Amino acid sequence: MNYPLLRYLFGMILLIVAAFLVLPLAVAVIYGESSGIYFLYTMIAAGLLGFLLTRFKPAKRDMYAREGFVFTALAWVVISLIGAAPFTLSGQIPSYLDAVFETVSGFTTTGASILTNVEALDNGMLFWRSFTHWLGGMGILVFMLSLVNMGGQANHLLRAESPGPTVSKMVPNMRKSAAILYGIYIVMTAVEVVLLLIGGMPLFDSLCTAFGTAGTGGFGIKNSSMGYYDSYYLQGVVSVFMALFGVNFNVYFFLLMKKYAMVWRNTEVRAYFAIIAGSTLIITLNILGMFPTAFDAFHHAFFAVSSVITTTGFSTTDFDLWPQLSRCILVLLMIVGACAGSTGGGVKVSRLVILCKALGSELRKLLHPRSVRVLTVDGKPVSRETVQGVQSYMTLYFLVTLVSVLLVALDNLDFVTTFTAVMATLNNIGPGLNQVGPMMNFGAYSNFAKLVLIFDMLAGRLEIFPMLVLFLPDTWRRF
């Protein structure tokens, strides 16, 4: 283990977090809020510690997979612990564990909240809470890679933080790939802000809403989430952008390069939009009687589907009151998730595509034992290692789900609440059903259950493996 390198990288992350704390501090100053001083304290502490850790550069800059996984997992824990400080120091979330839960939920773009009254927070805190979504959506380590030239070691960090079964570079240089990703991310966020402003949403609200949409996080700044904005236009803009941010960002790069054929051949994207269309149609038909017009039913169905499959978590209405069929579809969409390489969570459509193709291949092999078929996606062969990686991930996914449900069940809440709470956190969605529904919160859970759910949020955002690697004895041995 290259500990000097890890020390240096942790210092860099602390400096980046300290720099970003300037923004909520500025918001607090603009609105004349006293909580700004707590952002300043946290920023100074993180900055000084970061400066000390980066003062001496490591002699060896070699990073292998082990260092990449360890640093990625611990970096997300560290930024969450620091990001929670202003909430508790200001007294707006008195319990530090609750503040950590809220901050982890923000950075992992989960959107699960322990707050009963969101609007009680001042503007600086609301801005920071939403901004953590935007930072965590594309990945704070990806942001670091876009700024710093780390050579070959960058691939290990990107692989550990990026969602999906594989990680591909858009250009040969990993740093430039990271910069392109963030460039697309920033432009799309800015476009959404402009469209929301055109619809009459205030600038502060537009920024916070766009941060939550871009990061597919879903922290609302109103107690009724997007239901507060009684506008088909505003809700429509958010629902469309939620779906767009759930697309693999490589697709947008191909569009910029005018490689339209590659976009059309993308099996995952076609499956993703087919799932959205089919789910929206079924739910619309199922809830027709609950709304004045068919358009109302379609509007709310599409918003809910777009919100849940992208694991954003915004809501326009309480879908926990919908018929059982609609609720079941939404729970399944929680598991499916968005595309690999997007800001969305869940299992990822690409994994399901690979699993379905692998299953089809095995069934054909039963009929034709001597046949040799190459598994392909988008006309490209899928390696056996990739298939095995997907199968290993799914095995771990179900094991973590099982253990988490059993541990959270110790709080003795009903099964639907317990199960969907785990699904909502492990898949980085936010709202579940029953007592953790879209109009409820996670505040009723015990401290132990909150720790389990915090682990689930981090495991879900980092694709499970980096978090589990921390518990392996071999990880910490000197080889």
Side-chain angles (χ1 to χ4, degrees), residues 1-11 58 63 66-68 70-71 74 476:
M1 184 72 73
N2 191 342
Y3 289 106
L5 176 62
L6 294 181
R7 181 205 68 220
Y8 180 76
L9 293 177
F10 276 119
M63 174 179 284
R66 183 168 56 149
E67 285 87 355
V70 168
F71 173 68
L74 292 182
W476 307 102

Side-chain angles (χ1 to χ4, degrees), residues 310-341:
T310 60
T311 69
T312 304
F314 281 136
S315 59
T316 55
T317 185
D318 190 356
F319 56 70
D320 195 25
L321 302 176
W322 289 359
Q324 196 66 23
L325 174 61
S326 297
R327 295 165 81 233
C328 286
I329 291 174
L330 293 176
V331 171
L332 292 176
L333 292 179
M334 291 180 186
I335 299 172
V336 172
C339 298

